[in-house]
Amino acid sequence: MVQRALRQVAAAALRAAEQNLVHLVQARIGPDQFAYIAVARPKPRSSGAALSVRLLEAA
């Protein structure tokens, strides 16, 4: 069950990155331990959909 949830979060993060909504970052926090972070990209200057709406669509 936890594995499925992790796969769903990973897939949503990848879709958001493919849509240029976030930068995906990996940081080593210890031996064999990593933190994975999605950093929101700057808002586009054009009048597109709001970032929160686009992130929800990517999920």
Side-chain angles (χ1 to χ4, degrees):
M1 182 125 174
V2 173
Q3 291 288 348
R4 180 197 286 174
L6 289 174
R7 281 193 299 271
Q8 290 173 338
V9 169
L14 184 57
R15 285 192 303 274
E18 289 171 344
Q19 294 177 18
N20 294 323
L21 299 174
V22 298
H23 294 283
L24 297 180
V25 179
Q26 175 187 28
R28 183 183 298 270
I29 57 175
D32 299 321
Q33 293 182 334
F34 298 89
Y36 298 92
I37 304 164
V39 180
R41 291 181 181 235
K43 290 183 179 180
R45 295 185 187 259
S46 66
S47 60
L51 178 61
S52 58
V53 172
R54 293 173 62 200
L55 285 171
L56 285 173
E57 289 171 352

